[in-house]
Amino acid sequence: MKALILNSGLGSRMGALTSEHPKCMTELNNRETILSRQLSLISDSGINEVIMTTGAFDTVLENYCRNLNFPLKITFVKNELYNITNYIYSIYCAEKYLMDDDIILMHGDLVFENTVFEELVNADCSCMAVSSSLDLPEKDFKAVIEKDKISRVGIEFFNNAVSAQPLYKFLKDDWMIWLDNIVKYCESKDEVKRKYYAENALNEVTEKITLIPYDVGDRLCSEIDTPEDLAIVSDKLKKIENRTVYMCFSTDVIHSAHISIIKKAAKLGKLIVGVLSDEAVVSYKRFPLLPFEERKVMFENINGVYKVVEQKELSYRANLEKYKPDFVVHGDDWRDGFQKMIRDEVKSVLAVYGGTLVEYPYSNDLKYKELENRARAELSMPDLRRSRLKKTMLMKETISAIEVHSGLTGLIAENTMVYQNGGARQFDAMWLSSLCDSTAKGKPDIELVDMSSRFRTIDDIMEVTTKPIIFDGDTGGLTEHFVYTVKTLERMGVSMVIIEDKKGLKKNSLFGTEVQQTQASVSEFCEKIKAGKKAQKTNDFMICARIESLILEKGMGDALERAFAYTQAGADAVMIHSRKSDPSEIFEFVEKFRKEESATPIVVVPTSFNTVTEEEFRERGVNVVIYANQLTRTGFPAMQNAAKMILEHHRAKECDEICMPFKDIIRLIPEEI
C-alpha cells in the first residue's frame, strides 16, 4: 500500500501564512504541521512509501520532509504546470509511481483524527471519508449515496448527499480504473480537462468500481483552506489532545500485541492504564509472576502511557467514575464469556456521562498463548508454587481452599470460577485431605494410607495444576517421621502441612468423644513443631498446628493455652476446629486469640458450622477457610446413584440425564503437562 499526498496547490486563500512555504507546512500547534501530522500517522499505520506531488516551494517542501526523519520512502513529483492545472494533473504526473498497488489518497491540507485514518487504512474495501453528522457544505465536496455506494463526488451535489472529504482508500483494481480515466482526461486535446477536479473523472467510472462511504461521524476530518479553518481545526485538536483514555491490564508479561493496542489507545488521547491489584488478579486469573508495584512500574515505562493507577477490582466502575475517561479501550474478546458482564457494566457507566467504548480485534496469535502457557508452567514449579500460599495470604485478608484427592479433582479446583457483582471468584489453594485421600482409595481414615502413597497423590495433582497445596498431615506421626515428611513436602513444593495435636491411632475428629482419642501434651506437640521448623530449608513452607481441644470438649482455656504455646514453638498458623453447627465457640476463640496475637494466621474448616460466610470469617480475623470434603461427599453419592439407575433400568439411558458430557470433562484436562 502506498500513500499519495497532493501538495501542488498554491494555497492562496491562506494569505501570508503560505507566502514562504506550501500550505501543508502550516503549523497546527507548536509541535506539528499539517504535513508532519499526516506523515506521522502514515508511518504509524505501517505504510512505508509515500508519493508526494509538489508545485510552488517544491525545494522547501522536500528539505522539510527530509528533516522530519520519518522512516518513509518519499518520492517527490513536481507538477510543472501547478499554476494552471488542478490536482488531477498532479496525479497524472505521478502515474508511473501509482501502478499496481492499493492507494491511500489525501489532499495535503487535510487534518483528521488518528482513529479516522487508522480505520480507513484497515478497511477491506475502497472507501471515501464522509460525515452524515455534518451539515452539507455550500462549496466543498459532497458525496451522493445510492444503494450504499458512492455514485458521484463534487461540490454541486445536494440530493441524497453527505458531506465528504478528499481522504480515500482505493483497492488496486478500483484505483487503476480511476487512474486510467485520469490519464485520459489529462491526455485529452481539451486542455480544460486538466483544470477539472479528479472527481470528475471518478464520476464517470463509479459504476465499474465499488466505492463505499466511510462515515467518520463528528470526528475531526477537515480541510484547511483559510486562517479561520486553521483556528477551528487547531482548537479541535487541542480538545482531542486533552481527551483521556482508560485501559486495564492484569498481565505481568508484556508482548507485542499489548504494545500495539497501547499505541492505538494513546492516539485517542492521554492514556491512563489501570493495573489490577494483586488480589484482583488472583481472584480471577493465575497468580501474578510480578507483584502489583513491579507491574505498575513496567507500564509507567511504556512510551505513550500518561498515567498508571491501581484498579482494585475486576469491575471498572470505581475508576471510571473517578477519572471519567472519554474512551475505554479493550480487545473484542470480552463480548462473550465471563467478561461480558464486565463489558456491559463499562458500557452502562460510560453511557451516564457520554464516554465511548473502543474495541480492537483480539490477537489469537499462538505465540502469545505459548507465553501464557510458559507462565503457568513456571507457577507449577515447586519453588514458585510453595511460596504462593504465603504471598496470597499477604494479598488477601482471607483465602479459601477446597479438598482435592486426584488429578481430576485438582483440575476442578484449579479451573472452577464464578462471576458476581462485576468480579470473579475462585479457590486460592487446594486441601489434600487425609480423610478424602483414604476414602478415594477405599481405606479407613486411620493413617493406614502411608506417606509414600499420599505423596504419589500430590504428584498426580501437581502435574496438572498450579495452585498451592495445603497438606493434611494427620498427627504428623513420630517426631522423627514428621521431620522426614516436612523435608519431602517442602521439596515437592507443598506450601503448608497441618498437623493435629493428637497421638496414637488416629480417629477422625468428626467422632469427637464418641471414640477414644488422646491429645498430645503441650510440650510434646511443641517439640514436634520445633523439629519440623528446624528441618525445613526455606521460609516459604508453613507448619500449621491444629488444635483439637474444642472437639474433645476440653474447653476454651485449653484451646487458647495450646494456641499460644504452639505459636511460641514456631507454628506458622493455628487451626481451630469444632463439631458444633453453632459457630459461637469458634468466634470466641478467634476473638480471644486475636487480642493477644494479631499476626499468626488462623485456619478454620467450617464443615459443621457451614452457615458462616467467608466475609464473616474475614471480619473476625480468620485467614484461611478450608472446604475439607465437599468434592468427595458430592462425587461419591452421584456415582452411587448412577450405578443404581443402571441396575434398576437395565440400561444407561436414564443415567445419561445426570451425566456430564465427556467432552466437557476432557476440556478440564490440559493438552500439555
Side-chain angles (χ1 to χ4, degrees):
M1 185 184 297
K2 299 177 183 178
L4 170 60
I5 306 178
L6 304 175
N7 278 322
S8 304
L10 291 169
S12 55
R13 293 168 63 189
M14 295 290 288
L17 291 173
T18 54
S19 61
E20 297 180 353
H21 56 70
K23 183 166 54 171
C24 64
M25 289 174 58
T26 302
E27 290 186 350
L28 296 168
N29 48 50
N30 59 7
R31 299 182 310 281
E32 61 185 358
T33 64
I34 300 173
L35 180 58
S36 70
R37 180 180 176 84
Q38 289 180 339
L39 293 177
S40 175
L41 294 176
I42 289 170
S43 177
D44 288 345
S45 73
I47 298 172
N48 54 35
E49 187 170 354
V50 176
I51 312 301
M52 190 178 301
T53 67
T54 67
F57 306 112
D58 56 313
T59 302
V60 174
L61 179 58
E62 290 180 27
N63 289 335
Y64 173 72
C65 288
R66 292 189 182 99
N67 289 332
L68 289 175
N69 290 320
F70 284 110
L72 297 167
K73 176 187 176 184
I74 303 178
T75 302
F76 299 96
V77 179
K78 185 173 183 179
N79 175 1
E80 299 289 351
L81 304 179
Y82 65 87
N83 58 339
I84 60 171
T85 61
N86 207 332
Y87 59 84
I88 188 172
Y89 193 73
S90 299
I91 297 174
Y92 169 71
C93 293
E95 177 197 7
K96 68 178 181 179
Y97 302 107
L98 303 172
M99 309 288 283
D100 299 321
D101 209 343
D102 296 345
I103 295 292
I104 299 293
L105 186 155
M106 68 185 73
H107 285 202
D109 59 359
L110 194 62
V111 180
F112 35 80
E113 289 190 38
N114 302 351
T115 55
V116 167
F117 187 68
E118 182 178 353
E119 290 171 13
L120 183 125
V121 168
N122 292 324
D124 57 5
C125 60
S126 299
C127 54
M128 178 185 190
V130 304
S131 175
S132 60
S133 301
L134 300 178
D135 295 334
L136 292 179
E138 194 67 32
K139 297 181 179 180
D140 293 326
F141 275 159
K142 293 165 283 290
V144 178
I145 312 297
E146 295 178 346
K147 297 180 180 179
D148 298 325
K149 289 175 49 180
I150 294 176
S151 60
R152 286 164 293 168
V153 178
I155 63 173
E156 68 273 27
F157 305 116
F158 287 88
N159 293 330
N160 299 322
V162 292
S163 174
Q165 292 293 347
L167 175 62
Y168 299 90
K169 175 180 181 177
F170 269 92
L171 301 182
K172 178 179 65 177
D173 292 342
D174 290 336
W175 169 247
M176 292 307 299
I177 292 172
W178 186 15
L179 182 61
D180 287 345
N181 211 34
I182 288 173
V183 171
K184 289 178 182 178
Y185 261 61
C186 293
E187 292 182 352
S188 168
K189 294 180 180 180
D190 184 359
E191 295 184 2
V192 175
K193 288 189 174 183
R194 297 179 182 178
K195 298 181 181 181
Y196 288 176
Y197 293 125
E199 282 70 16
N200 289 89
L202 173 64
N203 291 340
E204 292 182 359
V205 295
T206 52
E207 290 185 357
K208 299 178 182 179
I209 65 178
T210 300
L211 183 61
I212 303 299
Y214 162 54
D215 194 346
V216 303
D218 57 2
R219 288 180 291 175
L220 176 61
C221 185
S222 302
E223 284 186 294
I224 295 178
D225 291 323
T226 65
E228 291 75 21
D229 293 341
L230 177 62
I232 292 170
V233 169
S234 295
D235 184 61
K236 287 183 178 179
L237 280 176
K238 187 180 296 184
K239 291 178 180 177
I240 289 170
E241 289 173 355
N242 286 326
R243 291 173 180 167
T244 53
V245 186
Y246 187 82
M247 294 185 72
C248 176
F249 286 93
S250 63
T251 187
D252 43 24
V253 180
I254 293 180
H255 50 64
S256 58
H258 293 135
I259 298 298
S260 176
I261 197 169
I262 285 172
K263 283 184 176 180
K264 291 177 181 178
K267 291 176 184 177
L268 295 171
K270 296 176 181 177
L271 176 58
I272 301 171
V273 169
V275 175
L276 277 182
S277 67
D278 291 333
E279 183 174 352
V281 175
V282 168
S283 73
Y284 94 104
K285 206 176 180 182
R286 61 169 171 78
F287 188 90
L289 294 173
L290 297 177
F292 167 78
E293 288 300 334
E294 290 189 37
R295 289 184 286 121
K296 182 174 181 286
V297 170
M298 184 170 65
F299 281 99
E300 286 173 338
N301 285 282
I302 296 177
N303 189 36
V305 175
Y306 169 67
K307 182 192 293 186
V308 181
V309 298
E310 183 179 24
Q311 183 170 315
K312 293 184 179 296
E313 300 175 335
L314 205 54
S315 168
Y316 284 52
R317 179 178 292 276
N319 279 6
L320 295 190
E321 291 178 344
K322 179 177 181 179
Y323 299 105
K324 289 186 169 54
D326 297 283
F327 299 97
V328 170
V329 172
H330 200 283
D332 61 4
D333 56 315
W334 68 343
R335 294 180 179 179
D336 301 302
F338 86 90
Q339 291 195 86
K340 183 180 185 300
M341 292 184 295
I342 302 167
R343 178 180 185 265
D344 291 343
E345 182 185 55
V346 167
K347 291 180 69 176
S348 68
V349 176
L350 291 174
V352 172
Y353 65 86
T356 302
L357 175 62
V358 178
E359 295 171 316
Y360 293 108
Y362 180 76
S363 175
N364 285 308
D365 196 312
L366 290 177
K367 66 174 176 284
Y368 303 138
K369 184 178 180 181
E370 177 60 26
L371 282 173
E372 181 64 21
N373 288 340
R374 282 166 54 189
R376 287 188 176 276
E378 286 188 39
L379 290 173
S380 69
M381 300 302 289
D383 286 343
L384 280 177
R385 191 197 292 254
R386 184 194 313 116
S387 65
R388 282 178 59 192
L389 187 67
K390 265 192 176 180
K391 290 178 179 178
T392 305
M393 291 170 68
L394 290 173
M395 293 176 190
K396 302 175 68 175
E397 293 180 70
T398 301
I399 67 170
S400 64
I402 191 166
E403 165 258 321
V404 297
H405 53 265
S406 64
L408 188 58
T409 54
L411 286 168
I412 291 172
E414 178 92 359
N415 297 311
T416 301
M417 193 178 301
V418 296
Y419 310 96
Q420 298 173 332
N421 304 319
R425 286 176 50 78
Q426 61 177 321
F427 294 106
D428 302 294
M430 296 177 288
W431 164 246
L432 185 47
S433 159
S434 170
L435 167 62
C436 298
D437 197 11
S438 300
T439 302
K441 294 175 171 61
K443 303 289 179 64
D445 183 29
I446 55 172
E447 296 184 271
L448 179 63
V449 178
D450 62 32
M451 281 296 173
S452 295
S453 177
R454 298 200 61 206
F455 292 160
R456 285 196 293 274
T457 303
I458 294 176
D459 278 333
D460 289 342
I461 294 166
M462 282 189 162
E463 280 182 345
V464 295
T465 64
T466 65
K467 292 183 186 290
I469 290 177
I470 302 172
F471 184 79
D472 180 1
D474 290 325
T475 65
L478 296 174
T479 298
E480 294 82 1
H481 295 173
F482 180 57
V483 166
Y484 170 81
T485 299
V486 166
K487 290 180 178 180
T488 304
L489 292 175
E490 184 181 30
R491 185 172 61 250
M492 294 178 77
V494 170
S495 298
M496 177 189 281
V497 61
I498 297 181
I499 54 171
E500 57 194 78
D501 56 358
K502 291 190 296 192
K503 64 181 182 179
L505 181 64
K506 178 195 171 178
K507 297 292 178 66
N508 193 283
S509 295
L510 296 175
F511 291 109
T513 58
E514 295 174 20
V515 297
Q516 182 73 29
Q517 303 202 60
T518 304
Q519 195 171 20
S521 69
V522 173
S523 60
E524 183 181 0
F525 197 68
C526 284
E527 288 304 313
K528 186 177 291 187
I529 293 170
K530 290 176 182 178
K533 292 303 294 180
K534 185 177 180 180
Q536 70 182 71
K537 303 296 183 184
T538 71
N539 291 323
D540 298 327
F541 187 75
M542 304 174 73
I543 296 175
C544 175
R546 170 172 161 174
I547 301 162
E548 295 289 286
S549 299
L550 300 182
I551 291 284
L552 300 176
E553 300 178 0
K554 289 190 174 183
M556 187 63 63
D558 186 75
L560 288 166
E561 178 190 350
R562 288 174 177 272
F564 296 128
Y566 299 161
T567 302
Q568 287 294 316
D572 301 284
V574 294
M575 174 181 158
I576 187 65
H577 206 19
S578 172
R579 288 190 301 140
K580 295 180 179 180
S581 59
D582 179 356
S584 57
E585 66 177 3
I586 293 291
F587 291 164
E588 181 184 352
F589 173 90
V590 173
E591 181 182 359
K592 291 180 175 178
F593 183 77
R594 280 284 173 249
K595 283 182 180 179
E596 296 188 37
E597 177 54 60
S598 60
T600 301
I602 298 175
V603 182
V604 296
V605 179
T607 304
S608 54
F609 44 99
N610 54 23
T611 59
V612 187
T613 66
E614 292 169 28
E615 290 75 18
E616 291 176 279
F617 282 129
R618 180 171 63 244
E619 289 172 4
R620 294 176 181 274
V622 172
N623 306 95
V624 183
V625 178
I626 297 176
Y627 300 97
N629 47 44
Q630 281 75 13
L631 294 187
T632 293
R633 288 164 57 203
T634 53
F636 284 89
M639 289 188 282
Q640 188 177 54
N641 185 35
K644 283 183 178 179
M645 291 177 74
I646 292 172
L647 288 175
E648 288 171 354
H649 296 280
H650 305 248
R651 62 181 186 180
K653 181 181 184 301
E654 289 75 14
C655 183
D656 279 354
E657 295 177 4
I658 63 169
C659 288
M660 183 180 189
F662 218 90
K663 62 181 180 180
D664 292 340
I665 298 174
I666 291 173
R667 288 195 184 102
L668 284 173
I669 301 172
E671 295 179 5
E672 296 182 6
I673 297 175

